[in-house]
Structure formats: C-alpha cells, structure tokens
Amino acid sequence: MSLIRLLLATAICITCLIASAAALPKIEAKCTACRSIARELTQRIKDEKPRNALDMRHRLDGTGQRYGRVINYKESELRATELLDNLCSSTSDYTLVKTNVSAVRVRHWAKVKGKGPDDLVNTTRLPGEEEKAMTKKLEVYCGSLLEEYEDDVTEAIMKLKLEEEGSVSDYVCTELTKACPAANRGANDVIEEVQRLQDVKAAAEAAAVGAAAPEKIEGEAAEDAED
C-alpha cells in the first residue's frame, strides 16, 4: 500500500510541475516578449525619485514613547507593489515586428511608441488590426507572468537584486521564466534571434542529410510549431 501511495504522490508532483511549466500562455518570440516587460520595469526603477524611510513606529510603550521599525523605502514591500502596479499597461507601446538582418527575417517584439521607441530600420510592421491583436497578446502574457512570479519578483526588488543595468532581464527572463537562453545574457535581441535561427537551420540540415533542403524558418514560430 505504501508503494501505491508513493507512486500516487510522485504522479501528483509531476502533474504539478507540468501545470506550473504550462502556466504562462504561449507567445511568439518569447525571449523578446519577456525582455519587453523587463525593459519597462527597468525604466520604472530608473525613473524613481528618492523617498523617505517608512516609519512604522505607530505604537506607544508604557512611557508613551513610540516604538516599531523604520524601513528603508527601497527595501519595502510598498515599493515593490508600486513598481509592479499596472506594469502591463505599458506593453501597449510594443508589438511584434519583422526585421531583416543578414538575409534573415526575424520576428521579435519592439517598442513602437511611447518613451524611447526602438529604431525600426529594415523593419516591417503588421497590418493595423493584427498589430493590435499582437499587442493584446503581450499584455495577457505580461499579466500571466506577473501572476505566476509575483512573489519572486517582489522578493528580488526588496533585496535590491534588480538595481543594476540588465539585472531585471537576467533575473526574470533567464532565471525565472527561462524565456531567454543563459548563454546570451545581455545580447542584442535581434542579433540573438538571428543566431538562434542559424543554429536551428544548421541542426535541421545536419539531421536531414540527403534530404531536400529545409524550408526557410521564420522567427520563433518555427520553434513553437515543433513543441
């Protein structure tokens, strides 16, 4: 009987792990999608103004003196909440685009409006309604990401792990969600995607020796199709 219980517990654990891994909705070009969210959080951190410490000394002791803690605002849960609050609304400035790089057409997420838009040279945008639909997908993805990893990101903010340039992207997109490969930390999104496509194509050609040349692979859609 104990063996059956052990097997049942193992099956439940495996199911939980699969459910957790599948918690985020599927999205094309997931690395640049995640980095778009990380970029907005990074900008919020940069735009912060100095704040006074939080005085939590609201109680009085037997002598009438206030007692309690004084918390550094940067290490407070309040700061984390304010940084993450309504963060996904900023994804409305992003959409999925196609950029030609080294004879390869790459689909990736780019900031097309708002503060500090991307340089869209050699880039093609999608038709109006399709572009709006893609932007909505990114907002949904952002909401799911924050819901799934809110505790982790909140803790990282409170422990001041996300203060350095690139730290938000590394932590959220490489360590937490695994949306971006660890080998390409800090790499240019488009160049990184070109390299990934070239690696995928080379692997496909090596596996299809003697067969017809594989069709041209476009962006991360090819990767999604294989899942």
Side-chain angles (χ1 to χ4, degrees):
M1 182 65 70
S2 60
L3 178 59
I4 295 177
R5 289 179 178 175
L6 178 61
L7 292 174
L8 180 59
T10 302
I12 293 174
C13 289
I14 292 174
T15 302
C16 291
L17 288 173
I18 293 174
S20 177
L24 296 183
K26 213 166 193 179
I27 191 168
E28 190 171 347
K30 60 185 177 182
C31 180
T32 55
C34 182
R35 283 183 174 170
S36 298
I37 299 165
R39 175 177 172 179
E40 290 304 308
L41 177 54
T42 298
Q43 190 60 53
R44 286 192 171 194
I45 293 174
K46 287 181 178 180
D47 290 343
E48 279 186 303
K49 295 180 180 179
R51 295 274 294 272
N52 293 329
L54 303 179
D55 191 345
M56 308 302 291
R57 297 174 298 176
H58 302 312
R59 295 185 178 183
L60 299 178
D61 61 19
T63 64
Q65 297 294 318
R66 293 195 306 159
Y67 71 93
R69 298 175 59 199
V70 177
I71 303 174
N72 181 351
Y73 173 75
K74 290 180 73 69
E75 298 175 345
S76 68
E77 187 174 357
L78 174 62
R79 180 200 181 209
T81 300
E82 291 179 341
L83 285 172
L84 297 178
D85 185 42
N86 210 28
L87 177 66
C88 295
S89 64
S90 58
T91 58
S92 62
D93 293 339
Y94 294 78
T95 193
L96 193 69
V97 299
K98 301 176 184 178
T99 299
N100 294 319
V101 181
S102 303
V104 178
R105 185 166 57 178
V106 181
R107 292 168 70 91
H108 63 98
W109 294 90
K111 189 167 188 175
V112 296
K113 59 182 180 178
K115 182 179 179 180
D118 293 324
D119 184 355
L120 300 179
V121 176
N122 297 322
T123 297
T124 303
R125 293 175 63 171
L126 300 174
E129 290 304 314
E130 188 176 353
E131 183 174 280
K132 289 180 181 178
M134 287 298 176
T135 297
K136 185 62 179 178
K137 282 187 177 182
L138 182 60
E139 183 179 359
V140 171
Y141 176 79
C142 175
S144 298
L145 188 155
L146 291 184
E147 181 178 359
E148 181 71 14
Y149 297 103
E150 181 178 8
D151 291 344
D152 300 282
V153 178
T154 295
E155 181 180 2
I157 292 173
M158 294 174 66
K159 291 185 176 180
L160 306 182
K161 292 182 177 180
L162 308 182
E163 304 301 305
E164 296 182 7
E165 186 70 32
S167 59
V168 178
S169 179
D170 283 348
Y171 180 67
V172 175
C173 302
T174 300
E175 295 183 31
L176 279 184
T177 65
K178 305 294 189 296
C180 301
N184 296 82
R185 289 175 185 249
N188 177 278
D189 291 336
V190 179
I191 299 302
E192 176 183 311
E193 181 66 1
V194 169
Q195 183 60 56
R196 190 192 69 78
L197 292 179
Q198 290 174 342
D199 292 344
V200 170
K201 185 176 181 180
E205 290 174 344
V209 177
E215 296 181 0
K216 184 176 180 180
I217 303 172
E218 270 194 26
E220 208 155 338
E223 182 182 55
D224 292 341
E226 295 173 358
D227 291 341

